[in-house]
Amino acid sequence: MCGIVAAVADRNIVPVLLEGLRKLEYRGYDSAGLALINADGLQRLRSVGRVAELSAQAETSQVSGHTGIAHTRWATHGVPCERNAHPHISEGLAVVHNGIIENHELLRTRLIAAGYGFTSDTDTEVVAHLIAHELKSETDFLTAVRQALAQLHGAYALAVLRAADPSRVVVAREGSPLLLGLTDDGCYAASDASALLQVTRRIVYLENGDCAELMRDSYRITRVDGTPVERPESESQLSADAVELGQYRHYMQKEIFEQPVALANTLEMLGTVRSIQPGLFGAASEEILRDVKQVLIIACGTSYHAGLVARYWLESIAAIPCAVEVASEYRYRDSVPDPQTLLVTISQSGETADTLAALQHAKSLGMQRTLCICNVPESSLVRENALRFITRAGPEIGVASTKAFTTQLAALYLLTLVLAKLRNRLDERAEAAELHAVRHLPMAVSKILEIEPAIREWSERFSMKQHALFLGRGRHYPIAMEGALKLKEISYIHAEAYPAGELKHGPLALVDRDMPVIAVAPNDTLIEKLKSNLQEVRARGGELYVFADADSEMTESDGIHVLHLPEHYGALSALLHVVPLQLLAYHVALVRGTDVDKPRNLAKSVTVE
């Protein structure tokens, strides 16, 4: 959520700030703004809506400057409007902020008593006035910011500039991501490396509790208490081309069709090996994984669904007990920690606030056997786990996750095979067969993408619907959940998923001719049970849309529409069956004319609780 770009450079940095905000649009936002220091002093522009509107303002006013900060806001405190948009100003300084200041009401009361007036409903304006108040007794800009930070409770990434210090910007991080970008002509900061690829690949990742002062030719990092620290410089591996739309109409469409390549890249480390090795998950993986007694998976949203699929794999293939928890719930209940449990956290961005907090909570309870599955190697989640698996899906810009999900499933299947082997549940012949199946995944997904024209036809029938029911059994029930989530996320059709065997326990009451029912129907041991469940739907007048395998012997008839996937893929069929559900959601959204990549009320990276 939200996005920050900041710069101190020898060039006019307005184009850099605006282009950086455009690259951060995928994170979700409702307003945007920037502040500059130039010959006219402190200048501020703000707008409600897209970054394009802010760019138009900047062009009309012809603003320029060498020192500036910019922001895209996702409303948490106060409605989306110009007076709540960042930056917020106080006595010649401006602040942009990602996160939530939990003690803002107490600080607001104190500052009002000190004579400060508030013009917004945000928690961020408190920060601006607090720093201004500290500057009344402290002349050094960085020290005053640190003193203000010491009074804040909550999560934040901040960038601050001051008219009296025209050639510096101060930034800080606690709980929300922030990094520095280094060039020969200046220093930059942003929430995400993609915002800075236009100027540099030289990146310094700040840690929680870091505060940095940026100048045109140097920077320094301290802790909030003033202790100097150094952070390593690295070169971002993110490709500028990877975040461009190219030939596709939307990022979601692009990312659906990138799945064969994303899977191939994720599985590339397997090479031509004849056996699967624990080292896929890190140098210490065999020592950590060999004697685990159970697995606990913690995640949110789509990543949570990946964990639910993995539970079926881990228990049936590796014969190891597995529990899956929603991260935002786990840390607020009394749980029973076990130091021999493998704690697996899953996140596309690696900055999901609830998942990070759940990890920290579990570690505080003594659970140190930690593994993360993540798509961003430089993320907080990767740094805080003992083991990690980087999915290599490439940048995922669309809010509705697609290629991140399928690559997470591939990683979880590899984890299942490693644990099965360590527990002597995988003989040589079975291991060879499993490796062959995994390596074939990119080609199998490519074949599924070829049925897109038929799915496009189905989407026309969905365009006027307001509700949909998704059904699945076994490991395909979480896939039905993911399909329902995708449809509701981007088409705004209310969709729910149920295990097909639960129909008669309530959901069947909803079924009529206006309630389409989508069934995930692989040719597995539950197919006959599922067929019986579907007949119950048809008997109540429900219209069925069935994604079946080639050999499932399911045929179309009145009120029953069937699409056959090219092949049945055994335990991995869950990974394949989600792809047509992604395509269905995408094409239904196109027909309904919704904003596919930036659906209302949603953000890509949920970096606040």
Side-chain angles (χ1 to χ4, degrees):
M1 290 182 177
C2 303
I4 289 174
V5 187
V8 185
D10 290 332
R11 67 171 81 184
N12 173 22
I13 48 84
V14 173
V16 177
L17 296 178
L18 292 171
E19 179 60 20
L21 292 186
R22 279 189 283 268
K23 295 303 184 186
L24 297 178
E25 285 187 300
Y26 74 94
R27 297 168 68 91
Y29 68 104
D30 47 53
S31 59
L34 61 82
L36 301 164
I37 298 174
N38 52 30
D40 297 320
L42 176 62
Q43 289 189 291
R44 176 176 63 167
L45 298 178
R46 297 186 292 177
S47 69
V48 177
R50 297 304 182 201
V51 171
E53 297 173 33
L54 181 67
S55 297
Q57 278 193 45
E59 184 175 351
T60 300
S61 58
Q62 296 184 323
V63 295
S64 65
H66 297 279
T67 304
I69 58 178
H71 188 264
T72 52
R73 175 181 185 253
W74 177 266
T76 55
H77 295 78
V79 299
C81 62
E82 184 173 322
R83 68 186 179 86
N84 287 332
H86 298 210
H88 292 286
I89 60 175
S90 181
E91 300 184 1
L93 63 83
V95 174
V96 294
H97 164 228
N98 295 350
I100 292 177
I101 306 303
E102 295 176 355
N103 61 333
H104 71 99
E105 292 181 349
L106 175 63
L107 293 171
R108 180 185 289 254
T109 300
R110 186 191 306 166
L111 289 163
I112 290 174
Y116 291 90
F118 285 77
T119 61
S120 78
D121 305 313
T122 68
D123 55 338
T124 302
E125 192 177 2
V126 166
V127 181
H129 292 319
L130 189 60
I131 296 171
H133 188 65
E134 292 298 328
L135 282 165
K136 293 183 183 302
S137 57
E138 173 55 61
T139 58
D140 181 68
F141 185 24
L142 176 60
T143 302
V145 173
R146 289 202 315 263
Q147 289 173 348
L149 295 177
Q151 302 173 58
L152 302 181
H153 300 161
Y156 56 77
L158 293 165
V160 191
L161 55 74
R162 184 189 185 204
D165 290 277
S167 60
R168 71 178 70 187
V169 170
V170 175
V171 299
R173 177 199 174 172
E174 180 60 55
S176 292
L178 197 66
L179 53 89
L180 310 182
L182 311 178
T183 71
D184 293 336
D185 73 343
C187 290
Y188 301 80
S191 306
D192 189 314
S194 63
L196 300 183
L197 289 179
Q198 56 177 313
V199 292
T200 187
R201 289 180 177 276
R202 295 169 56 201
I203 301 296
V204 174
Y205 292 92
L206 297 181
E207 300 288 343
N208 284 336
D210 283 354
C211 187
E213 182 180 44
L214 311 184
M215 293 155 283
R216 294 183 187 181
D217 57 358
S218 64
Y219 70 95
R220 59 173 171 148
I221 304 173
T222 71
R223 303 296 285 170
V224 172
D225 65 5
T227 304
V229 292
E230 293 185 4
R231 302 297 180 207
E233 179 183 327
S234 61
E235 182 173 348
S236 174
Q237 300 303 305
L238 191 61
S239 164
D241 292 339
V243 295
E244 298 297 333
L245 192 55
Q247 64 180 331
Y248 294 95
R249 186 172 175 181
H250 297 93
Y251 280 106
M252 183 179 180
Q253 180 190 28
K254 176 177 183 276
E255 288 153 11
I256 289 172
F257 279 85
E258 285 177 338
Q259 287 178 109
V261 172
L263 285 164
N265 289 341
T266 298
L267 299 169
E268 183 181 23
M269 64 187 69
L270 290 178
T272 58
V273 297
R274 296 183 179 182
S275 63
I276 190 163
Q277 300 298 323
L280 292 170
F281 297 91
S285 56
E286 183 165 3
E287 177 185 354
I288 291 175
L289 298 177
R290 180 166 292 282
D291 60 347
V292 297
K293 300 302 182 185
Q294 58 186 354
V295 176
L296 172 61
I297 299 175
I298 295 177
C300 301
T302 287
S303 297
Y304 171 70
H305 295 159
L308 291 176
V309 175
R311 179 174 62 185
Y312 286 93
W313 289 336
L314 287 161
E315 295 195 344
S316 64
I317 298 173
I320 187 168
C322 178
V324 187
E325 299 234 19
V326 175
S328 58
E329 292 293 319
Y330 169 75
R331 66 188 177 110
Y332 291 117
R333 71 173 185 83
D334 293 328
S335 58
V336 181
D338 182 348
Q340 287 192 290
T341 294
L342 175 65
L343 177 68
V344 180
T345 49
I346 312 172
S347 168
Q348 187 282 136
S349 68
E351 303 294 348
T352 308
D354 286 314
T355 305
L356 282 164
L359 170 66
Q360 291 157 3
H361 173 68
K363 289 168 70 174
S364 73
L365 297 176
M367 298 175 65
Q368 301 299 319
R369 297 171 187 256
T370 61
L371 161 68
C372 76
I373 293 173
C374 183
N375 191 40
V376 182
E378 305 93 345
S379 64
S380 299
L381 195 66
V382 170
R383 293 196 297 270
E384 293 189 20
N385 275 271
L387 303 177
R388 75 276 306 164
F389 187 100
I390 308 302
T391 54
R392 298 182 65 192
E396 190 177 66
I397 307 300
V399 166
S401 182
T402 53
K403 62 179 181 175
F405 179 68
T406 49
T407 53
Q408 285 170 356
L409 288 177
L412 288 163
Y413 199 75
L414 293 179
L415 176 63
T416 299
L417 298 182
V418 167
L419 288 170
K421 186 172 181 179
L422 290 173
R423 294 165 68 85
N424 297 315
R425 297 274 302 180
L426 200 65
D427 62 30
E428 187 174 333
R429 177 178 293 183
E431 183 176 11
E434 293 286 6
L435 283 170
H436 175 77
V438 169
R439 288 183 177 121
H440 184 61
L441 279 173
M443 181 60 70
V445 171
S446 295
K447 292 293 184 183
I448 288 175
L449 292 170
E450 294 175 4
I451 68 173
E452 183 190 25
I455 295 174
R456 191 182 299 120
E457 290 183 16
W458 278 13
S459 67
E460 297 287 342
R461 300 170 185 161
F462 275 81
S463 61
M464 302 304 293
K465 303 297 183 181
Q466 298 304 314
H467 307 276
L469 188 64
F470 285 69
L471 301 177
R473 299 208 66 152
R475 56 180 169 263
H476 296 87
Y477 166 48
I479 297 303
M481 296 172 69
E482 177 63 12
L485 177 60
K486 287 292 154 287
L487 189 67
K488 72 179 77 171
E489 278 181 311
I490 62 170
S491 75
Y492 313 148
I493 292 174
H494 172 247
E496 297 295 338
Y498 282 89
E502 286 290 292
L503 268 176
K504 287 185 285 191
H505 296 277
L508 201 55
L510 298 172
V511 172
D512 60 21
R513 64 181 183 178
D514 294 321
M515 172 73 86
V517 178
I518 299 94
V520 183
N523 191 18
D524 58 16
T525 56
L526 292 173
I527 186 62
E528 294 303 323
K529 296 287 186 183
L530 180 61
K531 288 179 181 178
S532 176
N533 301 142
L534 299 185
Q535 287 302 319
E536 294 173 345
V537 171
R538 192 69 197 110
R540 274 74 178 179
E543 191 166 12
L544 285 163
Y545 295 83
V546 183
F547 291 99
D549 288 333
D551 54 355
S552 65
E553 298 182 358
M554 298 191 73
T555 57
E556 290 202 357
S557 60
D558 182 42
I560 303 179
H561 313 284
V562 182
L563 272 180
H564 291 279
L565 275 60
E567 57 184 310
H568 174 55
Y569 218 59
L572 284 165
S573 65
L575 192 152
L576 302 188
H577 271 272
V578 76
V579 177
L581 298 181
Q582 297 168 349
L583 287 168
L584 178 65
Y586 173 72
H587 284 289
V588 171
L590 286 187
V591 175
R592 291 170 67 91
T594 60
D595 192 338
V596 172
D597 288 332
K598 294 183 278 291
R600 67 189 183 199
N601 304 333
L602 298 178
K604 181 62 176 176
S605 300
V606 184
T607 57
V608 296
E609 185 178 1

